[in-house]
Amino acid sequence: MNEPKNPALEKMLLDVPVRVDVVLGEARIPMEELLALSPGEIVALERHTNEPVDIYVSGRLVARGKLVVSDGQLGVTLSEIIDSRPEAA
C-alpha cells in the first residue's frame, strides 16, 4: 500500500462523519392504515428477502448488498459497488 502524501489530511478526512442508509424495501399504505399500526405489527415490503438491498452514502447509491445476521445483529455484506461517476464527454 502506498504511503499517503499528506497523513494529516487523510486522518482529518477519515474523521468526517457520513450517513450510511441501507434500504430494505418500501411499502405504500394509506395514511389511515399507517396511523392504525400497533407496536410489533409487520409491514410487508415490496422487496423479497433474497433480493439485494441498496446502500446509500450521503444520499448517493454506492453499492448493493445482502442482509446477514451475525451474533444476533443484522448487517449487510457488499456484493456490488455502483460506479455513479459521470461519464467523460
Side-chain angles (χ1 to χ4, degrees):
M1 187 167 160
N2 295 336
E3 288 296 317
K5 294 182 180 184
N6 186 337
L9 176 61
E10 182 176 290
K11 179 173 178 1
M12 182 180 69
L13 290 175
L14 291 175
D15 288 339
V16 174
V18 295
R19 179 182 173 131
V20 176
D21 296 301
V22 177
V23 178
L24 304 177
E26 64 180 47
R28 296 185 185 269
I29 59 176
M31 183 62 75
E32 177 180 292
E33 289 179 30
L34 179 66
L35 294 172
L37 289 175
S38 301
E41 285 193 62
I42 296 174
V43 175
L45 302 177
E46 293 177 353
R47 187 174 283 173
H48 297 282
T49 56
N50 61 346
E51 291 182 61
V53 294
D54 296 330
I55 302 166
Y56 291 83
V57 175
S58 298
R60 178 177 285 175
L61 178 65
V62 296
R64 290 200 173 85
K66 297 176 97 177
L67 292 178
V68 295
V69 177
S70 176
D71 296 327
Q73 300 243 331
L74 184 62
V76 65
T77 59
L78 297 181
S79 57
E80 175 187 1
I81 303 296
I82 308 296
D83 184 1
S84 59
R85 294 176 293 178
E87 303 244 350

